[in-house]
Amino acid sequence: MSLCEMTHQCKAALCMLLMNLTISNTRLQVTNSSCNFPDGPEKTGDIERIKNEGKELTKEEKQRLRKEKKQQKKNKEKKDEKAPLESEKEKKPASSSPASQATAQPPTQKASSGVPAPAPVPVAASEAPSPVDKPAKSKAELKAERRARQEAERASKQSKKGEVGQQAAPSKAKAPPSELQPVVKRLPEHIQVDNPEVLKKLAKKLERQQIPLRSDYGYKVSLFSHLHQYSRKAPLTQQLSIPSSVIHPAIVQLGLQYSQGIVAGSNARSVALLHAFKQIIRDYTTPPNEELSRDLVNKLKPYISFLNQCRPLSASMGNAIKYIKKEISNIPSQCKEEEAKSKLQDCIDCYINEKIILAAKAIAKYAIEKISDGDVILVYGCSSLVNHILCEAFEKNRKFRVIVVDSRPRLEGREALRRLVQRGISCTYVLISAVSYILPEVSKVFLGAHALLANGYVMSRVGTSQIALVAKAFNVPVLVCCETYKFCERVQTDSFVSNELDDPDDLIVTRKGKTHLEHWQDVSSLGLLNLVYDVTPPDFVDLVITDLGMIPCTSVPVVLRVKNVDQ
Amino acid sequence: MEFQAVLMAAGGGSRMTDLTYNTPKAMLPVGNKPLMWYPLNLLERVGFEEVIVITTKEVQKMMSADPKIKQDVKMKLEVVCIQEDGDMGTADALRHIQPKIKTDILVVSCDLITDAALHEVVDLFRAHNATLAMLMSKAHEFTETVPGQKGKKKTAEQRDFVGVDESGKRLLFMANEADLEEGLSIRKSILRKHPRVHIKTGLVDAHLYCLKKSVVDFLTDNKSISSIRGELVPYLVRKQFSKTINGQKTKDDVEDQNQKKSDKLHISSRDEPLLQLAQERSCWNDHRGDMSEAYHGGKLRCYVHIMDQGLCYRVNTLAAYIEANRLAPKLFEEPVVHPSAVTSERCQIGSDSIIGASCQVAEKTSIKRSTIGNSTTVKEKVKVTNSIIMHGVTIEEGCNIQGSVICSNAIIGRGADLKYCLVGNGQRIEPEGEAHNIIGNDA
């Protein structure tokens, strides 16, 4: 290994360590030691280069700067002749790998014991510059070396604790030393829309699969510019040939129904998807020299890309697809085609029956225990599961009334209201702006979920977290109803990173013949944002009712773990 | 396969017999291309690879001889010939080809010239799982003077009343003025489900229909329906709101038996329970304000896409034919003068004219806003304005032709002066003849 590569790795390692500086806040220890600087002038040259690149300081870097200044002051007390200049150079955007080169050098010489992962590489590197030349070291270099040592120690402490949560930017995450587990997974492309390379890759992939690329529409609010935003008036079918030959007609129909909102709601989308899969399997014939188990899975890939282009897949759909793919690949090769196809169709029926229909019955059973006579139940939007529960409870002669909270632009609450009133349940209808007015009357809040994340957060229609928050403030219990097939292994703590942007033109409304936002695109400083999902923290949720029983929000990872073990 | 395209090219052109008594309507030249080339081109552009063409033997012969169709149309044309007697309606033709139909069909008429985005119609058909989806367009006034028309333009044929719902997509009723004796009556069941109905007249039916396969099967059982436009479409539109289709339970087996014998349109698909489940769980409704579910629980749905911009012509009258000739060339970027035509330098050819292949245009001629067909000879000092000259015509010197239609192989003698005339096939006009606003057919 050449010295350059070594130092690059060191750079990366040290960059990670520097990032961790902001997380941990241990005290620095100043030790006196000597070290070699075989390429001192080279290092300073690099520092100059970094300065000239003129990168902006991020918040992290500013924090680090502040800490280092503090350290500096302490060092000054101990060692007077410290050049502040040098430290500033050190403080330059250190998150960029070249910058960390400055601090990379010292640890190469330091073979501090107990420093695990980053250490072996620096140690090895230190052996490479064998000639132990000791040029005159400047005070700045000494200081840099000391800082690097401290960081190495800190890293050792952290790795001893077993902390591996490095939040480095994805590109840097690819270069961590081999000993540290690569924890940062590849980011999905649908939340990296503002990265032109990712877009290029996506375009290439779609071209290969012969699926048209749907172009984004309108100005995106800057906080959400990393997400796709499509217009309903430009459906993907514009670019397809009419008797669609590349994509199965059932999938084209499904994609259209998704993008126009005709099939909306997590359960409905999954059922429709599985129905389409049944049709695909029925119309499928194995080409010669191919195996059904492998070829069918490959056939499904472009269809899934197409559906993704029409509307981003939901967590429930993702789980259903995983299940189908697993079932297909588990088909033994001796199995005849007809037999395999009917087996797959049975699997699909079974899945729907178990995970959706029976799960709904089980959840209703548990939930009805929680509904007592005289209750005033608040629901938000239109969740098929919550509606089902309320209708079942009404059948079992529980006396309660419902308050339906609704919000623009989807106004799904109207549909929920219609279904409940049709059954005979007495309902009140308010908009979300009145939720704190109506909450003193409410005894329970039932919420549906789009997905339950691995850290206990609930992902649901935008506005749910607001309802949960207000309910918490009023000490009203919040119960989330969710089937286990919607549990997702993703972790999310905010609604920004991964979300869905709906058509911004939905926000335009005509009142009294005037449409004020009609020409919103002409106003350069105006952006319309139509979010679809938001994330509710587990502190606001009192109980999650699943088909496995009633569990607290924090037990979701346990359920996931048990599910994975089962599979 | 999602759709099979069917092109109806057996029509006789009953409303423009002067033009069609010799040339079948499907092969009339419009902008120097046969009329049926336009819908074929539309289907090809959209991505079809095969078309079933229902036509007569004569047209089939002409098709195989025509260079435009042979070369330009890359799709596979499966020609089905039917008798020329003219008793076969469009629905009868569909019944005739029922064995070939394996999927949903897209029926197009040969006289449609349009630049509509077909995906709009097809998307309605797909998204709502409709039984029928059709295309209509706002009618445009014809501005050109038509030969043989005396006095003011009489009012067009009887109007069509088309009722759509609020969104403008769902077709609620369709009736022709001829069928309504006293007035327009709308059933209460329709109004109860769709309280706001927009009734439109002045729409041109493009005769482009997406039909489900079950409709073709239904036609084979019901031999009484012979025309798609005249009978099948109104029947389907009416049936949307009929009680039997909406799944209301029949009282006893006898009734059931009777219904089975007669017209029972089977609309349910194989995985009906799953689709039902998905629709139940979906929080979408196509209307609001009443207690019923999406589509009011109806399984039969008819949709229409009304285009308000763009070209859409049905070339079934002389006026439409002239208008189409004027505008059809604008759909395609083609050179004004065909490369194989021979034109002398001193002739004036306007930019909105078309000169066909192998033409010979002598000097001192002036051709404005006209279409000159293939293999036509135009001698010196001829003035042609606002006219349509078909193939193989010879125009001698000094003629003045204005606003006329000269059919194939006619010979216009020297110095003739024709204004707003229609000259039939192979006819001879005497030299120094003058004709104003007449239609001459006999040779």
Side-chain angles (χ1 to χ4, degrees), chain B residues 23-41 59 62-63 66-70 72-73 110 112-113 321 374 391:
Chain B
T23 326
K25 179 169 90 165
M27 297 304 288
L28 277 179
V30 173
N32 287 341
K33 302 198 226 331
L35 182 55
M36 68 192 294
W37 184 86
Y38 288 90
L40 284 175
N41 182 265
V59 175
M62 291 180 76
M63 263 172 68
D66 190 286
K68 209 74 187 148
I69 292 187
K70 261 201 334 210
D72 279 1
V73 177
C110 65
L112 175 68
I113 299 180
Y321 178 72
N374 302 335
H391 310 303

Side-chain angles (χ1 to χ4, degrees), chain A residues 370-389:
Chain A
K370 292 286 174 189
I371 300 178
S372 29
D373 284 346
D375 258 350
V376 179
I377 299 178
L378 186 127
V379 297
Y380 177 65
C382 185
S383 164
S384 55
L385 190 52
V386 174
N387 291 344
H388 177 81
I389 292 171

Side-chain angles (χ1 to χ4, degrees), chain A residues 465-481:
Chain A
S465 62
Q466 189 180 333
I467 303 251
L469 172 70
V470 181
K472 185 85 183 166
F474 280 87
N475 272 323
V476 173
V478 173
L479 295 90
V480 169
C481 310

Side-chain angles (χ1 to χ4, degrees), chain B residues 300-319:
Chain B
L300 210 174
R301 303 184 270 276
C302 299
Y303 283 86
V304 62
H305 173 69
I306 301 177
M307 50 185 275
D308 41 6
Q309 285 169 341
L311 229 65
C312 179
Y313 285 105
R314 291 282 314 283
V315 179
N316 48 10
T317 59
L318 190 51

